[in-house]
Amino acid sequence: ADVTGVQTCALPICVSDLAFVQGAPGLVCGPGDPTRSHRADEHIETARVAAAVEAYVRIAREFFHAA
């Protein structure tokens, strides 16, 4: 179930520790524009951090079936 309420996208190239996990499905999830990751102008707007916190709480509640 989509509990984030955030539009998702797939990127052909990204840098993540997930690259070291072979044979297991995974998810890279976080705030900010992934096309800015690991660049000189990398930054995250405060509103995106706040939205990410809300999404993480919804995900945790869904996973643990908490109210």
Side-chain angles (χ1 to χ4, degrees), residues 2-5 8 11 13 15 17 24 27 32 37 40 42 46 53-54 57-58 61-62:
D2 179 11
V3 295
T4 65
T8 61
L11 297 175
I13 300 172
V15 177
D17 292 342
L27 171 72
S37 296
E42 179 178 7
T46 306
V53 168
E54 292 175 12
V57 168
R58 286 192 303 271
R61 285 183 175 154
E62 179 78 14

PDB file of all heavy atoms in Angstrom, residues 2-5 8 11 13 15 17 24 27 32 37 40 42 46 53-54 57-58 61-62:
ATOM      1  N   ASP A   2       0.440   2.237  -0.736  1.00  0.00           N
ATOM      2  CA  ASP A   2       1.181   3.491  -0.757  1.00  0.00           C
ATOM      3  C   ASP A   2       0.767   4.307   0.449  1.00  0.00           C
ATOM      4  O   ASP A   2      -0.352   4.798   0.521  1.00  0.00           O
ATOM      5  CB  ASP A   2       0.899   4.267  -2.042  1.00  0.00           C
ATOM      6  CG  ASP A   2       1.626   5.596  -2.093  1.00  0.00           C
ATOM      7  OD1 ASP A   2       2.512   5.831  -1.245  1.00  0.00           O
ATOM      8  OD2 ASP A   2       1.315   6.398  -2.980  1.00  0.00           O
ATOM      9  N   VAL A   3       1.638   4.424   1.417  1.00  0.00           N
ATOM     10  CA  VAL A   3       1.332   5.181   2.623  1.00  0.00           C
ATOM     11  C   VAL A   3       2.081   6.507   2.663  1.00  0.00           C
ATOM     12  O   VAL A   3       1.894   7.283   3.577  1.00  0.00           O
ATOM     13  CB  VAL A   3       1.651   4.370   3.902  1.00  0.00           C
ATOM     14  CG1 VAL A   3       0.763   3.157   4.000  1.00  0.00           C
ATOM     15  CG2 VAL A   3       3.108   3.990   3.956  1.00  0.00           C
ATOM     16  N   THR A   4       2.919   6.760   1.654  1.00  0.00           N
ATOM     17  CA  THR A   4       3.712   7.981   1.680  1.00  0.00           C
ATOM     18  C   THR A   4       2.956   9.187   1.181  1.00  0.00           C
ATOM     19  O   THR A   4       3.202  10.300   1.620  1.00  0.00           O
ATOM     20  CB  THR A   4       4.985   7.831   0.836  1.00  0.00           C
ATOM     21  OG1 THR A   4       4.620   7.668  -0.531  1.00  0.00           O
ATOM     22  CG2 THR A   4       5.828   6.668   1.310  1.00  0.00           C
ATOM     23  N   GLY A   5       2.058   8.989   0.212  1.00  0.00           N
ATOM     24  CA  GLY A   5       1.380  10.124  -0.385  1.00  0.00           C
ATOM     25  C   GLY A   5       2.297  10.947  -1.266  1.00  0.00           C
ATOM     26  O   GLY A   5       1.973  12.049  -1.658  1.00  0.00           O
ATOM     27  N   THR A   8       6.412   8.825  -6.734  1.00  0.00           N
ATOM     28  CA  THR A   8       7.671   8.100  -6.815  1.00  0.00           C
ATOM     29  C   THR A   8       8.194   8.091  -8.244  1.00  0.00           C
ATOM     30  O   THR A   8       7.465   8.363  -9.184  1.00  0.00           O
ATOM     31  CB  THR A   8       7.490   6.643  -6.342  1.00  0.00           C
ATOM     32  OG1 THR A   8       6.540   6.011  -7.182  1.00  0.00           O
ATOM     33  CG2 THR A   8       7.031   6.584  -4.897  1.00  0.00           C
ATOM     34  N   LEU A  11      15.036   5.883 -11.040  1.00  0.00           N
ATOM     35  CA  LEU A  11      16.196   6.521 -11.649  1.00  0.00           C
ATOM     36  C   LEU A  11      17.121   5.455 -12.218  1.00  0.00           C
ATOM     37  O   LEU A  11      17.375   4.450 -11.564  1.00  0.00           O
ATOM     38  CB  LEU A  11      16.967   7.350 -10.615  1.00  0.00           C
ATOM     39  CG  LEU A  11      16.201   8.512 -10.017  1.00  0.00           C
ATOM     40  CD1 LEU A  11      17.037   9.172  -8.931  1.00  0.00           C
ATOM     41  CD2 LEU A  11      15.843   9.522 -11.082  1.00  0.00           C
ATOM     42  N   ILE A  13      20.291   5.697 -12.647  1.00  0.00           N
ATOM     43  CA  ILE A  13      21.602   5.740 -11.988  1.00  0.00           C
ATOM     44  C   ILE A  13      21.431   6.404 -10.627  1.00  0.00           C
ATOM     45  O   ILE A  13      20.841   7.466 -10.522  1.00  0.00           O
ATOM     46  CB  ILE A  13      22.614   6.555 -12.811  1.00  0.00           C
ATOM     47  CG1 ILE A  13      22.807   5.932 -14.186  1.00  0.00           C
ATOM     48  CG2 ILE A  13      23.928   6.685 -12.069  1.00  0.00           C
ATOM     49  CD1 ILE A  13      23.639   6.768 -15.125  1.00  0.00           C
ATOM     50  N   VAL A  15      23.539   6.521  -6.493  1.00  0.00           N
ATOM     51  CA  VAL A  15      24.595   6.037  -5.617  1.00  0.00           C
ATOM     52  C   VAL A  15      23.961   5.728  -4.273  1.00  0.00           C
ATOM     53  O   VAL A  15      23.349   6.581  -3.663  1.00  0.00           O
ATOM     54  CB  VAL A  15      25.713   7.093  -5.459  1.00  0.00           C
ATOM     55  CG1 VAL A  15      26.767   6.591  -4.494  1.00  0.00           C
ATOM     56  CG2 VAL A  15      26.321   7.428  -6.808  1.00  0.00           C
ATOM     57  N   ASP A  17      24.079   2.600  -0.803  1.00  0.00           N
ATOM     58  CA  ASP A  17      24.593   1.360  -0.230  1.00  0.00           C
ATOM     59  C   ASP A  17      23.834   0.159  -0.778  1.00  0.00           C
ATOM     60  O   ASP A  17      24.311  -0.966  -0.707  1.00  0.00           O
ATOM     61  CB  ASP A  17      24.477   1.379   1.292  1.00  0.00           C
ATOM     62  CG  ASP A  17      25.409   2.389   1.931  1.00  0.00           C
ATOM     63  OD1 ASP A  17      26.360   2.813   1.250  1.00  0.00           O
ATOM     64  OD2 ASP A  17      25.182   2.749   3.095  1.00  0.00           O
ATOM     65  N   ALA A  24      18.800  -9.181  -3.274  1.00  0.00           N
ATOM     66  CA  ALA A  24      17.729  -8.843  -2.338  1.00  0.00           C
ATOM     67  C   ALA A  24      17.035  -7.576  -2.815  1.00  0.00           C
ATOM     68  O   ALA A  24      17.697  -6.630  -3.235  1.00  0.00           O
ATOM     69  CB  ALA A  24      18.297  -8.625  -0.939  1.00  0.00           C
ATOM     70  N   LEU A  27      14.861  -0.631  -1.385  1.00  0.00           N
ATOM     71  CA  LEU A  27      14.217   0.637  -1.656  1.00  0.00           C
ATOM     72  C   LEU A  27      15.123   1.756  -1.174  1.00  0.00           C
ATOM     73  O   LEU A  27      15.646   1.695  -0.064  1.00  0.00           O
ATOM     74  CB  LEU A  27      12.872   0.695  -0.911  1.00  0.00           C
ATOM     75  CG  LEU A  27      12.145   2.015  -0.893  1.00  0.00           C
ATOM     76  CD1 LEU A  27      11.576   2.305  -2.286  1.00  0.00           C
ATOM     77  CD2 LEU A  27      11.035   1.970   0.127  1.00  0.00           C
ATOM     78  N   GLY A  32      14.418  15.209  -0.968  1.00  0.00           N
ATOM     79  CA  GLY A  32      15.331  15.914  -1.866  1.00  0.00           C
ATOM     80  C   GLY A  32      15.245  15.428  -3.288  1.00  0.00           C
ATOM     81  O   GLY A  32      14.563  14.465  -3.609  1.00  0.00           O
ATOM     82  N   SER A  37      21.965  14.656  -5.843  1.00  0.00           N
ATOM     83  CA  SER A  37      22.749  13.891  -4.864  1.00  0.00           C
ATOM     84  C   SER A  37      24.223  13.874  -5.217  1.00  0.00           C
ATOM     85  O   SER A  37      24.596  13.654  -6.372  1.00  0.00           O
ATOM     86  CB  SER A  37      22.231  12.447  -4.794  1.00  0.00           C
ATOM     87  OG  SER A  37      20.921  12.426  -4.310  1.00  0.00           O
ATOM     88  N   ALA A  40      28.047  19.349  -6.015  1.00  0.00           N
ATOM     89  CA  ALA A  40      28.456  20.563  -5.300  1.00  0.00           C
ATOM     90  C   ALA A  40      27.249  21.361  -4.817  1.00  0.00           C
ATOM     91  O   ALA A  40      27.298  21.987  -3.754  1.00  0.00           O
ATOM     92  CB  ALA A  40      29.337  21.426  -6.195  1.00  0.00           C
ATOM     93  N   GLU A  42      24.327  20.150  -3.896  1.00  0.00           N
ATOM     94  CA  GLU A  42      23.378  19.278  -3.197  1.00  0.00           C
ATOM     95  C   GLU A  42      22.783  20.019  -2.003  1.00  0.00           C
ATOM     96  O   GLU A  42      23.497  20.629  -1.213  1.00  0.00           O
ATOM     97  CB  GLU A  42      24.085  18.012  -2.710  1.00  0.00           C
ATOM     98  CG  GLU A  42      23.182  17.074  -1.953  1.00  0.00           C
ATOM     99  CD  GLU A  42      23.879  15.796  -1.525  1.00  0.00           C
ATOM    100  OE1 GLU A  42      25.098  15.674  -1.687  1.00  0.00           O
ATOM    101  OE2 GLU A  42      23.187  14.910  -1.016  1.00  0.00           O
ATOM    102  N   THR A  46      13.809  22.574   3.465  1.00  0.00           N
ATOM    103  CA  THR A  46      13.256  22.239   4.784  1.00  0.00           C
ATOM    104  C   THR A  46      11.886  21.592   4.658  1.00  0.00           C
ATOM    105  O   THR A  46      11.573  20.634   5.379  1.00  0.00           O
ATOM    106  CB  THR A  46      13.174  23.505   5.659  1.00  0.00           C
ATOM    107  OG1 THR A  46      14.458  24.121   5.713  1.00  0.00           O
ATOM    108  CG2 THR A  46      12.708  23.185   7.063  1.00  0.00           C
ATOM    109  N   VAL A  53       9.629  13.292   7.073  1.00  0.00           N
ATOM    110  CA  VAL A  53       9.351  12.845   8.445  1.00  0.00           C
ATOM    111  C   VAL A  53       7.924  12.318   8.531  1.00  0.00           C
ATOM    112  O   VAL A  53       7.676  11.244   9.084  1.00  0.00           O
ATOM    113  CB  VAL A  53       9.583  13.980   9.460  1.00  0.00           C
ATOM    114  CG1 VAL A  53       9.031  13.618  10.835  1.00  0.00           C
ATOM    115  CG2 VAL A  53      11.060  14.321   9.554  1.00  0.00           C
ATOM    116  N   GLU A  54       6.978  13.052   7.955  1.00  0.00           N
ATOM    117  CA  GLU A  54       5.586  12.611   7.965  1.00  0.00           C
ATOM    118  C   GLU A  54       5.433  11.273   7.227  1.00  0.00           C
ATOM    119  O   GLU A  54       4.711  10.389   7.687  1.00  0.00           O
ATOM    120  CB  GLU A  54       4.692  13.670   7.341  1.00  0.00           C
ATOM    121  CG  GLU A  54       4.588  14.936   8.177  1.00  0.00           C
ATOM    122  CD  GLU A  54       3.791  16.026   7.480  1.00  0.00           C
ATOM    123  OE1 GLU A  54       3.120  15.739   6.462  1.00  0.00           O
ATOM    124  OE2 GLU A  54       3.826  17.168   7.962  1.00  0.00           O
ATOM    125  N   VAL A  57       6.801   8.403   9.341  1.00  0.00           N
ATOM    126  CA  VAL A  57       5.867   8.063  10.420  1.00  0.00           C
ATOM    127  C   VAL A  57       4.722   7.216   9.867  1.00  0.00           C
ATOM    128  O   VAL A  57       4.349   6.197  10.463  1.00  0.00           O
ATOM    129  CB  VAL A  57       5.340   9.339  11.111  1.00  0.00           C
ATOM    130  CG1 VAL A  57       4.168   9.018  12.030  1.00  0.00           C
ATOM    131  CG2 VAL A  57       6.458  10.016  11.893  1.00  0.00           C
ATOM    132  N   ARG A  58       4.168   7.608   8.710  1.00  0.00           N
ATOM    133  CA  ARG A  58       3.087   6.815   8.105  1.00  0.00           C
ATOM    134  C   ARG A  58       3.575   5.419   7.744  1.00  0.00           C
ATOM    135  O   ARG A  58       2.856   4.434   7.956  1.00  0.00           O
ATOM    136  CB  ARG A  58       2.537   7.532   6.867  1.00  0.00           C
ATOM    137  CG  ARG A  58       1.677   8.740   7.213  1.00  0.00           C
ATOM    138  CD  ARG A  58       0.900   9.253   6.015  1.00  0.00           C
ATOM    139  NE  ARG A  58       1.736   9.605   4.882  1.00  0.00           N
ATOM    140  CZ  ARG A  58       2.273  10.800   4.670  1.00  0.00           C
ATOM    141  NH1 ARG A  58       2.085  11.773   5.546  1.00  0.00           N
ATOM    142  NH2 ARG A  58       3.004  11.035   3.596  1.00  0.00           N
ATOM    143  N   ARG A  61       3.921   3.404  10.959  1.00  0.00           N
ATOM    144  CA  ARG A  61       2.607   3.034  11.492  1.00  0.00           C
ATOM    145  C   ARG A  61       1.969   1.919  10.673  1.00  0.00           C
ATOM    146  O   ARG A  61       1.366   1.010  11.221  1.00  0.00           O
ATOM    147  CB  ARG A  61       1.696   4.258  11.542  1.00  0.00           C
ATOM    148  CG  ARG A  61       2.050   5.193  12.658  1.00  0.00           C
ATOM    149  CD  ARG A  61       1.096   6.353  12.739  1.00  0.00           C
ATOM    150  NE  ARG A  61       1.413   7.154  13.921  1.00  0.00           N
ATOM    151  CZ  ARG A  61       1.139   8.430  14.040  1.00  0.00           C
ATOM    152  NH1 ARG A  61       0.523   9.076  13.055  1.00  0.00           N
ATOM    153  NH2 ARG A  61       1.470   9.081  15.134  1.00  0.00           N
ATOM    154  N   GLU A  62       2.103   1.997   9.361  1.00  0.00           N
ATOM    155  CA  GLU A  62       1.559   0.959   8.491  1.00  0.00           C
ATOM    156  C   GLU A  62       2.284  -0.372   8.744  1.00  0.00           C
ATOM    157  O   GLU A  62       1.660  -1.420   8.867  1.00  0.00           O
ATOM    158  CB  GLU A  62       1.709   1.359   7.030  1.00  0.00           C
ATOM    159  CG  GLU A  62       1.213   0.343   6.055  1.00  0.00           C
ATOM    160  CD  GLU A  62      -0.298   0.311   5.905  1.00  0.00           C
ATOM    161  OE1 GLU A  62      -0.978   1.240   6.360  1.00  0.00           O
ATOM    162  OE2 GLU A  62      -0.790  -0.668   5.323  1.00  0.00           O
TER     163      GLU A  62
END
